[in-house]
Amino acid sequence: MPKKPAAKSPRRPAPKTDNGKARAWQRMLSGRRLDLLDPSPLDIEIEDIAHGLARVARWNGQTRGAHIFSVAQHILLVDVMARARIPRLDNKIRLAIFLHDAAEYVIGDMISPFKAVIGDSYKATESRLLAAIHLRFGLPPKSSAETERIIKEADRAAAYLEATRLAGFEAREAQRFFGKPPAITAVTERDYLTPWPAETAESRYLERFAKLLP
């Protein structure tokens, strides 16, 4: 006799709030509760951002080393690459650099191929969060075209280095995706391209961020 098809597991319903709606907020260790659909700057704390980013892996965790290469460490590397290109970089632009991936403390770091699969919904959520984060720390909701250009160039330079030193890319392949190899000193490479423990990434992110505030 033919076997009966296995019964499907019942789908678990989305968590509900008291009013019966699906939960769309994230509770932070600070006690804040951040609504992903309507994020408020008042619910954003830099300590929560640093804690989260230090524990979110770049490259989906597919990197060499005893620790993940975290988004927090990536942001510090992007700051280094930007200042190598523009030594007297304005602190407001550096603050925007420090926050350019900050939404990932809530939604994680999705690799580019997966972002392409899910389409605009990820981008819309990311944009809402980033606007609220900017307002919380005194920046306009959206960065200027010039600031975005500076961030993108430094971000691509950091991505090239991460790809070739940590994520197994060949130089030619990395150049196709991220542009030509950036210059980097041996000291900077040893420090910023050796994955740090989460506690180190968190504390170094907070320390440098504090120096950028007025």
Side-chain angles (χ1 to χ4, degrees):
M1 290 178 63
K3 290 184 179 180
K4 290 183 180 180
K8 291 183 178 179
S9 301
R11 179 177 292 178
R12 180 178 294 180
K16 302 288 184 180
T17 59
D18 291 341
N19 62 12
K21 293 182 179 178
R23 178 169 73 85
W25 49 263
Q26 162 84 43
R27 185 178 294 283
M28 305 298 167
L29 288 179
S30 65
R32 298 289 188 185
R33 194 167 74 170
L34 185 63
D35 186 340
L36 301 187
L37 298 177
D38 186 22
S40 167
L42 298 176
D43 291 325
I44 293 165
E45 302 290 351
I46 193 61
E47 291 80 10
D48 291 331
I49 291 173
H51 183 88
L53 295 183
R55 290 159 178 81
V56 174
R58 289 271 294 168
W59 307 97
N60 239 11
Q62 297 298 310
T63 50
R64 302 183 181 98
H67 305 283
I68 64 165
F69 189 81
S70 71
V71 174
Q73 186 169 351
H74 162 75
I75 288 172
L76 286 158
L77 177 58
V78 173
D79 180 55
V80 168
M81 301 312 296
R83 287 186 292 128
R85 292 165 182 247
I86 309 173
R88 295 185 178 276
L89 197 59
D90 180 81
N91 270 11
K92 285 286 187 183
I93 296 177
R94 288 188 64 198
L95 191 58
I97 289 171
F98 259 73
L99 298 174
H100 81 279
D101 281 336
E104 294 175 7
Y105 90 108
V106 181
I107 56 178
D109 180 33
M110 288 193 182
I111 57 174
S112 296
F114 193 55
K115 288 180 186 178
V117 169
I118 63 176
D120 293 338
S121 55
Y122 176 91
K123 198 67 183 173
T125 303
E126 182 183 45
S127 295
R128 280 196 302 270
L129 286 166
L130 192 56
I133 291 166
H134 273 203
L135 291 172
R136 170 66 177 85
F137 299 107
L139 295 176
K142 184 171 174 56
S143 295
S144 69
E146 176 63 12
T147 297
E148 289 190 351
R149 182 190 65 78
I150 291 169
I151 293 172
K152 185 173 182 178
E153 287 180 358
D155 192 53
R156 283 167 61 84
Y160 178 93
L161 294 169
E162 294 165 22
T164 53
R165 276 41 168 202
L166 297 169
F169 281 60
E170 296 292 337
R172 184 179 298 176
E173 182 184 22
Q175 192 164 340
R176 191 165 73 247
F177 290 116
F178 309 115
K180 61 184 181 182
I184 186 172
T185 68
V187 172
T188 299
E189 179 166 353
R190 256 194 322 271
D191 185 6
Y192 287 90
L193 289 161
T194 300
W196 304 329
E199 294 80 3
T200 301
E202 180 177 354
S203 63
R204 289 183 67 165
Y205 182 94
L206 285 171
E207 180 183 354
R208 196 175 303 175
F209 183 87
K211 292 177 181 176
L212 299 178
L213 296 179

